[in-house]
Amino acid sequence: METTGGNSRRLRVGIVGAGLGGVGAAVHLIKRGHSDLEIFEKSEKPGGVWWDNKYPGCGVDIHSHAYSYSFMKYPWKRTHATQPELQQYVEDTIDAFDLRPKIHFNTVVEKIIWDDDRDLYRMEFADGSAKEFEVVISAVGFLINPKYPTWPGMDVFKGEMFHTSRWRSDIDLRGKRVAVVGTGSTAAQVVPGVADDVAELKVFQREPGYVAPKNARAYTDFEKFLYNSVPGMARLSRIRAFTRATIRNRGFDITSTRQRLNKEVCVGNIVNNVEDPETQEKLTPQYAWGCKRQIESSDYYPTFNKPHVKLVPRAVTELTEDGIIDTDGTAHPVDVIILATGFETTKYLSSIEVYGENGLSLQEAWKRRAAAFVGVTVPRFPNFFILYGPNTHGGYSVIAQLECAARVAARAVRKMKRKGWRRVNTPQKALDDYMAWLDRKFATAGSAMLADCNNYYRNEAGDNVTNWPLPNIHYSYMTTVRPYFDLVGTPGRAGSAGTAPVAEAELSKEPTS
């Protein structure tokens, strides 16, 4: 770690985003004795992705006891929480740690600019105001900017069209001819969520995904008693969920036996739930399991047994006044188009201008590839920490990943405060070594993610910039057991950069997996 020392001073922390990442970061700071912080949220409510997404059937495909903070036990109602329950969970966490007075809602951050002379950031907002912070934590996520197609005819279609993350509750789907474009995790929830309301439903599939049974259900009263009243039962359920995920994730190695077993489970799910053999064939992927994100659903496939629901195994090429043309040239008259087309996942922090040392733009630093040390820090951007940064998606529970990153930032703030450091930075060599290690892991343990399919993991150059190649426990090890910011540093004089030789020596080695 590179550090710059100086006299003790106030350490104000600005957090961008009041979703699961931002709230988690604030709690970890407070638990380490630092409460001088403010959170800025562009929406009118907290929750991030769980505030933005309110489509029918919206919920998480991770077990509730795993998709939750380690510090916040909660009386979950279901094995897999739905959007309203997740939104309430964020609200309850905020109130449990008295964070609400620290949150500024309806506040859009436009620029974050580092001042080399004063060792702090100037945060500029859309209303023209600004604030200064010695430390900034970005928790804006990457599933925030909807990905809209650019089909010819987008401006001539006379029906209604909207993205799932911008759900139009004012549009009545009853009796309508509806098209859902996309067959990822969101579509697997939307399709059964709207099927019973519409007159006709067509699902446009560019490429099928692997769908495993979700087996979501409400907890029984006895289960609620066990998890809420018997010490250790909820934690045991959490451990069991992570253990199963760790075993499943071995399948990301394309040569593994688990790869074959995971594929068999998903193909069996098709055979057991789809009646029409032709539809079964169209829903069966022809690429490696794990090349796309696995979908979890127990009601997606049965929906195709309904007489008014049809799978169109072709992409959309253009729109007309009254419908869709697919790649075969077939016209499909529709009244409403629902875009389940995902997000701009590889364009990290594209909605905010961030400038580091000597005016370096973060987007310029990431021109070739978005990259951050353990997904959290970037060379030449001192005192700047990213939650849900490059290559931190996946593993199983994103909340577990977010907490690991939050601990890195909180420990760094505590050390800065204790030692009087004015800045912490990441050596370029540390990042280069880390990225080389990541690429080696993608070539082996995560090889399925680089297989031949269309996924949202890779940038234009073909680099996987979104996913973590291993289970959650490995990321926890990398950020906690051998934490970068807990290594001994040698702070320099105020205004000078001191090198931390121990950190560089440790990080020159290949990180342990």
Side-chain angles (χ1 to χ4, degrees):
M1 171 168 52
E2 293 176 350
T3 62
T4 299
N7 296 327
S8 179
R9 63 169 180 166
R10 182 181 181 187
L11 277 180
R12 298 164 293 182
V13 180
I15 300 174
V16 186
L20 290 163
V23 171
V27 171
H28 278 282
L29 284 166
I30 290 171
K31 288 170 74 68
R32 287 165 176 78
H34 192 87
S35 59
D36 192 355
L37 62 92
E38 295 181 68
I39 307 172
F40 303 94
E41 170 55 50
K42 63 180 178 60
S43 301
E44 62 184 278
K45 291 282 188 178
V49 66
W50 299 115
W51 171 254
D52 290 340
N53 290 269
K54 300 171 184 175
Y55 55 82
C58 183
V60 70
D61 52 10
I62 305 297
H63 197 284
S64 297
H65 290 131
Y67 197 82
S68 51
Y69 296 119
S70 62
F71 55 77
M72 183 72 176
K73 185 179 177 181
Y74 202 67
W76 295 108
K77 300 175 183 177
R78 300 179 56 81
T79 58
H80 300 73
T82 59
Q83 182 272 333
E85 191 175 10
L86 289 163
Q87 174 66 29
Q88 190 60 51
Y89 179 62
V90 179
E91 299 269 7
D92 290 348
T93 303
I94 287 171
D95 291 334
F97 291 91
D98 196 26
L99 294 178
R100 206 167 292 274
K102 298 179 181 295
I103 305 177
H104 305 273
F105 293 108
N106 297 307
T107 304
V108 177
V109 178
E110 289 191 334
K111 294 182 180 180
I112 301 171
I113 306 168
W114 174 253
D115 188 323
D116 283 302
D117 297 325
R118 300 170 62 208
D119 291 328
L120 54 75
Y121 283 99
R122 175 182 171 86
M123 190 180 291
E124 298 182 357
F125 307 99
D127 63 3
S129 63
K131 287 194 173 187
E132 294 180 336
F133 297 95
E134 284 70 28
V135 176
V136 170
I137 299 175
S138 168
V140 299
F142 83 124
L143 299 177
I144 57 171
N145 297 319
K147 185 175 183 179
Y148 290 98
T150 56
W151 305 312
M154 293 279 285
D155 56 340
V156 302
F157 178 62
K158 292 185 176 180
E160 301 287 356
M161 180 167 54
F162 53 88
H163 195 276
T164 53
S165 65
R166 304 293 184 264
W167 190 262
R168 292 282 304 278
S169 57
D170 59 314
I171 296 176
D172 189 356
L173 299 180
R174 289 177 296 181
K176 298 288 199 313
R177 297 170 300 177
V178 176
V180 173
V181 181
T183 51
S185 295
T186 298
Q189 296 179 348
V190 169
V191 167
V194 303
D196 290 340
D197 294 329
V198 305
E200 179 182 85
L201 179 61
K202 290 188 176 181
V203 183
F204 288 80
Q205 171 188 273
R206 180 178 61 176
E207 195 171 44
Y210 283 102
V211 183
K214 184 174 179 179
N215 300 319
R217 60 177 178 80
Y219 281 128
T220 65
D221 289 340
F222 180 66
E223 287 173 316
K224 291 177 184 177
F225 168 76
L226 283 179
Y227 292 136
N228 300 331
S229 303
V230 179
M233 289 302 295
R235 179 171 176 77
L236 181 62
S237 175
R238 179 181 175 91
I239 293 172
R240 184 167 59 244
F242 276 105
T243 301
R244 289 174 176 171
T246 298
I247 294 171
R248 184 204 68 173
N249 283 9
R250 292 173 184 164
F252 285 114
D253 180 347
I254 206 167
T255 66
S256 66
T257 300
R258 178 53 56 179
Q259 159 78 204
R260 176 179 58 80
L261 294 175
N262 289 350
K263 185 182 295 188
E264 289 176 356
V265 168
C266 295
V267 173
N269 195 28
I270 300 172
V271 175
N272 294 334
N273 289 285
V274 179
E275 296 169 357
D276 177 47
E278 184 178 350
T279 303
Q280 289 180 7
E281 183 179 357
K282 293 173 181 177
L283 288 168
T284 303
Q286 301 301 315
Y287 52 85
W289 177 94
C291 186
K292 290 179 182 285
R293 183 181 187 276
Q294 177 179 281
I295 301 165
E296 305 265 341
S297 177
S298 295
D299 52 6
Y300 177 62
Y301 285 150
T303 304
F304 290 104
N305 298 326
K306 298 178 184 291
H308 68 293
V309 178
K310 181 180 179 181
L311 176 70
V312 181
R314 297 179 294 277
V316 175
T317 57
E318 64 177 300
L319 303 186
T320 62
E321 288 188 357
D322 64 351
I324 290 173
I325 305 293
D326 67 25
T327 52
D328 270 3
T330 304
H332 304 268
V334 296
D335 304 308
V336 179
I337 299 174
I338 300 172
L339 300 173
T341 47
F343 299 85
E344 298 286 357
T345 54
T346 63
K347 298 179 180 179
Y348 286 92
L349 281 168
S350 60
S351 62
I352 303 174
E353 295 180 48
V354 182
Y355 299 92
E357 294 177 343
N358 300 315
L360 176 65
S361 162
L362 183 60
Q363 293 306 316
E364 182 63 27
W366 284 348
K367 188 175 182 179
R368 167 62 180 80
R369 177 182 185 177
F373 185 84
V374 292
V376 181
T377 62
V378 181
R380 300 182 64 187
F381 290 84
N383 303 2
F384 185 72
F385 303 89
I386 306 169
L387 271 61
Y388 219 165
N391 295 114
T392 61
H393 180 63
Y396 179 50
S397 170
V398 69
I399 299 185
Q401 301 287 93
L402 291 171
E403 278 204 73
C404 289
R407 290 188 189 103
V408 170
R411 285 196 305 268
V413 170
R414 182 176 62 182
K415 180 162 281 191
M416 290 175 70
K417 191 174 182 180
R418 188 171 69 246
K419 293 182 175 292
W421 289 345
R422 297 177 67 85
R423 65 171 76 177
V424 291
N425 212 337
T426 298
Q428 184 64 47
K429 185 180 186 303
L431 177 59
D432 292 343
D433 289 348
Y434 174 71
M435 296 307 296
W437 173 82
L438 264 184
D439 285 342
R440 289 195 295 272
K441 288 302 175 185
F442 281 125
T444 53
S447 54
M449 301 179 197
L450 301 178
D452 188 20
C453 75
N454 294 298
N455 62 35
Y456 62 74
Y457 307 154
R458 300 191 288 264
N459 62 11
E460 293 179 358
D463 302 308
N464 187 331
V465 297
T466 64
N467 276 33
W468 171 250
L470 298 164
N472 286 129
I473 190 170
H474 292 269
Y475 190 66
S476 178
Y477 179 86
M478 291 286 290
T479 55
T480 306
V481 178
R482 282 181 54 189
Y484 175 55
F485 288 102
D486 273 356
L487 295 172
V488 178
T490 305
R493 297 184 301 276
S496 67
T499 303
V502 175
E504 290 193 13
E506 284 292 319
L507 292 167
S508 66
K509 302 174 184 177
E510 178 173 309
T512 305
S513 59

